[in-house]
Amino acid sequence: MIKFNSYQWEDASDVLVVELAGKLDTDSAETFFTRLEKEVETGHINLIFDCHKLEFISSLGFGMMIRAHSRMQKANGAVKFARLEGFIAEAFQVVGFHKLFENYPTVEEAVKSFSE
């Protein structure tokens, strides 16, 4: 099960931080994308996925990340990652996501990158 907590960054109203906790897998992938679509519909197109509490991501979960990336690009936005750690960071390297997505050690640095 994935837990999805989102909030706008105080100094950057165009950036939505999405804290992911738990497992992004077959059971939770569609729920994840449906929730993400709702955020886009409300005008949030610059997303930061804060992954420090993400415990597991399956191949379908990676597919949902690609889908989110495509969706944000179509809306002239972007997806960035913060606090990828441990197994999750290794998995991102293995599948080549480090070439597609920017990853920052802190949420603050990820937010700042949108204004650079």
Side-chain angles (χ1 to χ4, degrees), residues 87-108:
F87 165 77
I88 302 300
E90 289 176 27
F92 268 65
Q93 288 282 101
V94 168
V95 299
F97 270 34
H98 64 287
K99 296 176 185 175
L100 180 61
F101 294 107
E102 296 174 33
N103 176 38
Y104 296 88
T106 67
V107 172
E108 292 84 359

PDB file of all heavy atoms in Angstrom, residues 87-108:
ATOM      1  N   PHE A  87      17.798   0.981  -0.939  1.00  0.00           N
ATOM      2  CA  PHE A  87      17.328   0.100  -2.013  1.00  0.00           C
ATOM      3  C   PHE A  87      16.667   0.887  -3.137  1.00  0.00           C
ATOM      4  O   PHE A  87      16.863   0.585  -4.310  1.00  0.00           O
ATOM      5  CB  PHE A  87      16.345  -0.942  -1.445  1.00  0.00           C
ATOM      6  CG  PHE A  87      15.552  -1.650  -2.503  1.00  0.00           C
ATOM      7  CD1 PHE A  87      16.126  -2.652  -3.264  1.00  0.00           C
ATOM      8  CD2 PHE A  87      14.237  -1.287  -2.771  1.00  0.00           C
ATOM      9  CE1 PHE A  87      15.402  -3.296  -4.257  1.00  0.00           C
ATOM     10  CE2 PHE A  87      13.504  -1.925  -3.760  1.00  0.00           C
ATOM     11  CZ  PHE A  87      14.087  -2.936  -4.504  1.00  0.00           C
ATOM     12  N   ILE A  88      15.880   1.885  -2.786  1.00  0.00           N
ATOM     13  CA  ILE A  88      15.157   2.659  -3.795  1.00  0.00           C
ATOM     14  C   ILE A  88      16.148   3.409  -4.684  1.00  0.00           C
ATOM     15  O   ILE A  88      16.019   3.421  -5.913  1.00  0.00           O
ATOM     16  CB  ILE A  88      14.153   3.631  -3.145  1.00  0.00           C
ATOM     17  CG1 ILE A  88      13.148   2.882  -2.257  1.00  0.00           C
ATOM     18  CG2 ILE A  88      13.432   4.463  -4.191  1.00  0.00           C
ATOM     19  CD1 ILE A  88      12.295   1.852  -2.975  1.00  0.00           C
ATOM     20  N   ALA A  89      17.164   4.005  -4.107  1.00  0.00           N
ATOM     21  CA  ALA A  89      18.190   4.710  -4.888  1.00  0.00           C
ATOM     22  C   ALA A  89      18.920   3.738  -5.804  1.00  0.00           C
ATOM     23  O   ALA A  89      19.178   4.046  -6.971  1.00  0.00           O
ATOM     24  CB  ALA A  89      19.171   5.423  -3.961  1.00  0.00           C
ATOM     25  N   GLU A  90      19.238   2.564  -5.295  1.00  0.00           N
ATOM     26  CA  GLU A  90      19.910   1.543  -6.105  1.00  0.00           C
ATOM     27  C   GLU A  90      19.025   1.102  -7.266  1.00  0.00           C
ATOM     28  O   GLU A  90      19.494   0.949  -8.397  1.00  0.00           O
ATOM     29  CB  GLU A  90      20.273   0.332  -5.235  1.00  0.00           C
ATOM     30  CG  GLU A  90      21.389   0.609  -4.257  1.00  0.00           C
ATOM     31  CD  GLU A  90      21.656  -0.584  -3.344  1.00  0.00           C
ATOM     32  OE1 GLU A  90      21.384  -1.740  -3.762  1.00  0.00           O
ATOM     33  OE2 GLU A  90      22.122  -0.352  -2.219  1.00  0.00           O
ATOM     34  N   ALA A  91      17.754   0.896  -6.992  1.00  0.00           N
ATOM     35  CA  ALA A  91      16.821   0.470  -8.036  1.00  0.00           C
ATOM     36  C   ALA A  91      16.709   1.534  -9.134  1.00  0.00           C
ATOM     37  O   ALA A  91      16.686   1.203 -10.319  1.00  0.00           O
ATOM     38  CB  ALA A  91      15.448   0.186  -7.428  1.00  0.00           C
ATOM     39  N   PHE A  92      16.696   2.807  -8.741  1.00  0.00           N
ATOM     40  CA  PHE A  92      16.638   3.886  -9.733  1.00  0.00           C
ATOM     41  C   PHE A  92      17.875   3.865 -10.627  1.00  0.00           C
ATOM     42  O   PHE A  92      17.778   4.108 -11.832  1.00  0.00           O
ATOM     43  CB  PHE A  92      16.493   5.246  -9.044  1.00  0.00           C
ATOM     44  CG  PHE A  92      15.068   5.681  -8.865  1.00  0.00           C
ATOM     45  CD1 PHE A  92      14.205   4.967  -8.043  1.00  0.00           C
ATOM     46  CD2 PHE A  92      14.581   6.790  -9.523  1.00  0.00           C
ATOM     47  CE1 PHE A  92      12.890   5.356  -7.871  1.00  0.00           C
ATOM     48  CE2 PHE A  92      13.263   7.196  -9.366  1.00  0.00           C
ATOM     49  CZ  PHE A  92      12.416   6.472  -8.537  1.00  0.00           C
ATOM     50  N   GLN A  93      19.025   3.571 -10.059  1.00  0.00           N
ATOM     51  CA  GLN A  93      20.263   3.470 -10.831  1.00  0.00           C
ATOM     52  C   GLN A  93      20.193   2.295 -11.811  1.00  0.00           C
ATOM     53  O   GLN A  93      20.543   2.438 -12.977  1.00  0.00           O
ATOM     54  CB  GLN A  93      21.468   3.290  -9.907  1.00  0.00           C
ATOM     55  CG  GLN A  93      21.858   4.523  -9.135  1.00  0.00           C
ATOM     56  CD  GLN A  93      22.630   5.503  -9.996  1.00  0.00           C
ATOM     57  OE1 GLN A  93      22.054   6.472 -10.459  1.00  0.00           O
ATOM     58  NE2 GLN A  93      23.890   5.264 -10.189  1.00  0.00           N
ATOM     59  N   VAL A  94      19.753   1.154 -11.317  1.00  0.00           N
ATOM     60  CA  VAL A  94      19.710  -0.057 -12.127  1.00  0.00           C
ATOM     61  C   VAL A  94      18.814   0.116 -13.353  1.00  0.00           C
ATOM     62  O   VAL A  94      19.176  -0.302 -14.452  1.00  0.00           O
ATOM     63  CB  VAL A  94      19.254  -1.272 -11.281  1.00  0.00           C
ATOM     64  CG1 VAL A  94      18.920  -2.470 -12.153  1.00  0.00           C
ATOM     65  CG2 VAL A  94      20.321  -1.635 -10.260  1.00  0.00           C
ATOM     66  N   VAL A  95      17.665   0.745 -13.172  1.00  0.00           N
ATOM     67  CA  VAL A  95      16.739   0.898 -14.299  1.00  0.00           C
ATOM     68  C   VAL A  95      17.031   2.135 -15.145  1.00  0.00           C
ATOM     69  O   VAL A  95      16.371   2.371 -16.154  1.00  0.00           O
ATOM     70  CB  VAL A  95      15.257   0.911 -13.851  1.00  0.00           C
ATOM     71  CG1 VAL A  95      14.880  -0.388 -13.178  1.00  0.00           C
ATOM     72  CG2 VAL A  95      14.942   2.098 -12.974  1.00  0.00           C
ATOM     73  N   GLY A  96      18.047   2.909 -14.757  1.00  0.00           N
ATOM     74  CA  GLY A  96      18.457   4.065 -15.557  1.00  0.00           C
ATOM     75  C   GLY A  96      17.675   5.333 -15.317  1.00  0.00           C
ATOM     76  O   GLY A  96      17.780   6.296 -16.080  1.00  0.00           O
ATOM     77  N   PHE A  97      16.890   5.375 -14.245  1.00  0.00           N
ATOM     78  CA  PHE A  97      16.100   6.566 -13.958  1.00  0.00           C
ATOM     79  C   PHE A  97      16.971   7.767 -13.603  1.00  0.00           C
ATOM     80  O   PHE A  97      16.530   8.898 -13.738  1.00  0.00           O
ATOM     81  CB  PHE A  97      15.106   6.292 -12.833  1.00  0.00           C
ATOM     82  CG  PHE A  97      13.774   5.787 -13.313  1.00  0.00           C
ATOM     83  CD1 PHE A  97      13.676   4.975 -14.434  1.00  0.00           C
ATOM     84  CD2 PHE A  97      12.619   6.123 -12.647  1.00  0.00           C
ATOM     85  CE1 PHE A  97      12.452   4.517 -14.873  1.00  0.00           C
ATOM     86  CE2 PHE A  97      11.384   5.661 -13.082  1.00  0.00           C
ATOM     87  CZ  PHE A  97      11.307   4.861 -14.197  1.00  0.00           C
ATOM     88  N   HIS A  98      18.195   7.521 -13.176  1.00  0.00           N
ATOM     89  CA  HIS A  98      19.087   8.638 -12.841  1.00  0.00           C
ATOM     90  C   HIS A  98      19.415   9.467 -14.082  1.00  0.00           C
ATOM     91  O   HIS A  98      19.813  10.620 -13.976  1.00  0.00           O
ATOM     92  CB  HIS A  98      20.364   8.123 -12.174  1.00  0.00           C
ATOM     93  CG  HIS A  98      21.213   7.258 -13.059  1.00  0.00           C
ATOM     94  ND1 HIS A  98      20.851   5.962 -13.403  1.00  0.00           N
ATOM     95  CD2 HIS A  98      22.376   7.507 -13.677  1.00  0.00           C
ATOM     96  CE1 HIS A  98      21.775   5.463 -14.204  1.00  0.00           C
ATOM     97  NE2 HIS A  98      22.717   6.372 -14.381  1.00  0.00           N
ATOM     98  N   LYS A  99      19.205   8.891 -15.271  1.00  0.00           N
ATOM     99  CA  LYS A  99      19.430   9.628 -16.517  1.00  0.00           C
ATOM    100  C   LYS A  99      18.201  10.443 -16.919  1.00  0.00           C
ATOM    101  O   LYS A  99      18.313  11.428 -17.636  1.00  0.00           O
ATOM    102  CB  LYS A  99      19.790   8.653 -17.642  1.00  0.00           C
ATOM    103  CG  LYS A  99      21.090   7.920 -17.408  1.00  0.00           C
ATOM    104  CD  LYS A  99      21.331   6.902 -18.491  1.00  0.00           C
ATOM    105  CE  LYS A  99      22.577   6.083 -18.192  1.00  0.00           C
ATOM    106  NZ  LYS A  99      22.751   5.007 -19.179  1.00  0.00           N
ATOM    107  N   LEU A 100      17.046  10.024 -16.479  1.00  0.00           N
ATOM    108  CA  LEU A 100      15.787  10.667 -16.857  1.00  0.00           C
ATOM    109  C   LEU A 100      15.325  11.700 -15.837  1.00  0.00           C
ATOM    110  O   LEU A 100      14.794  12.741 -16.200  1.00  0.00           O
ATOM    111  CB  LEU A 100      14.703   9.592 -17.017  1.00  0.00           C
ATOM    112  CG  LEU A 100      13.311  10.037 -17.416  1.00  0.00           C
ATOM    113  CD1 LEU A 100      13.336  10.735 -18.773  1.00  0.00           C
ATOM    114  CD2 LEU A 100      12.379   8.840 -17.460  1.00  0.00           C
ATOM    115  N   PHE A 101      15.541  11.411 -14.572  1.00  0.00           N
ATOM    116  CA  PHE A 101      15.033  12.265 -13.494  1.00  0.00           C
ATOM    117  C   PHE A 101      16.169  12.880 -12.684  1.00  0.00           C
ATOM    118  O   PHE A 101      17.182  12.231 -12.445  1.00  0.00           O
ATOM    119  CB  PHE A 101      14.161  11.452 -12.531  1.00  0.00           C
ATOM    120  CG  PHE A 101      12.900  10.938 -13.138  1.00  0.00           C
ATOM    121  CD1 PHE A 101      12.769   9.591 -13.440  1.00  0.00           C
ATOM    122  CD2 PHE A 101      11.838  11.781 -13.389  1.00  0.00           C
ATOM    123  CE1 PHE A 101      11.595   9.101 -13.984  1.00  0.00           C
ATOM    124  CE2 PHE A 101      10.659  11.301 -13.941  1.00  0.00           C
ATOM    125  CZ  PHE A 101      10.538   9.958 -14.240  1.00  0.00           C
ATOM    126  N   GLU A 102      15.928  14.106 -12.233  1.00  0.00           N
ATOM    127  CA  GLU A 102      16.866  14.740 -11.314  1.00  0.00           C
ATOM    128  C   GLU A 102      16.529  14.283  -9.898  1.00  0.00           C
ATOM    129  O   GLU A 102      15.363  14.187  -9.531  1.00  0.00           O
ATOM    130  CB  GLU A 102      16.743  16.259 -11.410  1.00  0.00           C
ATOM    131  CG  GLU A 102      17.139  16.806 -12.765  1.00  0.00           C
ATOM    132  CD  GLU A 102      16.875  18.294 -12.883  1.00  0.00           C
ATOM    133  OE1 GLU A 102      16.989  19.028 -11.870  1.00  0.00           O
ATOM    134  OE2 GLU A 102      16.536  18.727 -13.994  1.00  0.00           O
ATOM    135  N   ASN A 103      17.567  14.014  -9.114  1.00  0.00           N
ATOM    136  CA  ASN A 103      17.402  13.608  -7.720  1.00  0.00           C
ATOM    137  C   ASN A 103      18.210  14.556  -6.847  1.00  0.00           C
ATOM    138  O   ASN A 103      19.363  14.846  -7.151  1.00  0.00           O
ATOM    139  CB  ASN A 103      17.869  12.168  -7.523  1.00  0.00           C
ATOM    140  CG  ASN A 103      17.805  11.752  -6.068  1.00  0.00           C
ATOM    141  OD1 ASN A 103      16.887  12.118  -5.340  1.00  0.00           O
ATOM    142  ND2 ASN A 103      18.782  11.000  -5.632  1.00  0.00           N
ATOM    143  N   TYR A 104      17.604  15.007  -5.770  1.00  0.00           N
ATOM    144  CA  TYR A 104      18.249  15.953  -4.865  1.00  0.00           C
ATOM    145  C   TYR A 104      18.292  15.371  -3.459  1.00  0.00           C
ATOM    146  O   TYR A 104      17.383  14.646  -3.051  1.00  0.00           O
ATOM    147  CB  TYR A 104      17.484  17.277  -4.866  1.00  0.00           C
ATOM    148  CG  TYR A 104      17.538  17.942  -6.220  1.00  0.00           C
ATOM    149  CD1 TYR A 104      16.599  17.646  -7.198  1.00  0.00           C
ATOM    150  CD2 TYR A 104      18.561  18.816  -6.543  1.00  0.00           C
ATOM    151  CE1 TYR A 104      16.661  18.219  -8.455  1.00  0.00           C
ATOM    152  CE2 TYR A 104      18.639  19.392  -7.797  1.00  0.00           C
ATOM    153  CZ  TYR A 104      17.690  19.090  -8.750  1.00  0.00           C
ATOM    154  OH  TYR A 104      17.769  19.659  -9.995  1.00  0.00           O
ATOM    155  N   PRO A 105      19.340  15.702  -2.699  1.00  0.00           N
ATOM    156  CA  PRO A 105      19.457  15.160  -1.345  1.00  0.00           C
ATOM    157  C   PRO A 105      18.404  15.703  -0.378  1.00  0.00           C
ATOM    158  O   PRO A 105      18.096  15.065   0.620  1.00  0.00           O
ATOM    159  CB  PRO A 105      20.864  15.551  -0.903  1.00  0.00           C
ATOM    160  CG  PRO A 105      21.336  16.576  -1.868  1.00  0.00           C
ATOM    161  CD  PRO A 105      20.514  16.458  -3.106  1.00  0.00           C
ATOM    162  N   THR A 106      17.849  16.886  -0.681  1.00  0.00           N
ATOM    163  CA  THR A 106      16.818  17.465   0.182  1.00  0.00           C
ATOM    164  C   THR A 106      15.667  17.989  -0.665  1.00  0.00           C
ATOM    165  O   THR A 106      15.840  18.297  -1.847  1.00  0.00           O
ATOM    166  CB  THR A 106      17.356  18.641   1.017  1.00  0.00           C
ATOM    167  OG1 THR A 106      17.682  19.725   0.133  1.00  0.00           O
ATOM    168  CG2 THR A 106      18.574  18.235   1.846  1.00  0.00           C
ATOM    169  N   VAL A 107      14.516  18.120  -0.035  1.00  0.00           N
ATOM    170  CA  VAL A 107      13.350  18.690  -0.714  1.00  0.00           C
ATOM    171  C   VAL A 107      13.635  20.150  -1.059  1.00  0.00           C
ATOM    172  O   VAL A 107      13.300  20.619  -2.148  1.00  0.00           O
ATOM    173  CB  VAL A 107      12.087  18.554   0.162  1.00  0.00           C
ATOM    174  CG1 VAL A 107      10.911  19.310  -0.442  1.00  0.00           C
ATOM    175  CG2 VAL A 107      11.730  17.088   0.367  1.00  0.00           C
ATOM    176  N   GLU A 108      14.286  20.870  -0.156  1.00  0.00           N
ATOM    177  CA  GLU A 108      14.601  22.276  -0.388  1.00  0.00           C
ATOM    178  C   GLU A 108      15.425  22.477  -1.651  1.00  0.00           C
ATOM    179  O   GLU A 108      15.159  23.392  -2.438  1.00  0.00           O
ATOM    180  CB  GLU A 108      15.350  22.874   0.817  1.00  0.00           C
ATOM    181  CG  GLU A 108      14.537  22.996   2.071  1.00  0.00           C
ATOM    182  CD  GLU A 108      14.478  21.695   2.914  1.00  0.00           C
ATOM    183  OE1 GLU A 108      15.054  20.668   2.515  1.00  0.00           O
ATOM    184  OE2 GLU A 108      13.827  21.721   3.957  1.00  0.00           O
TER     185      GLU A 108
END
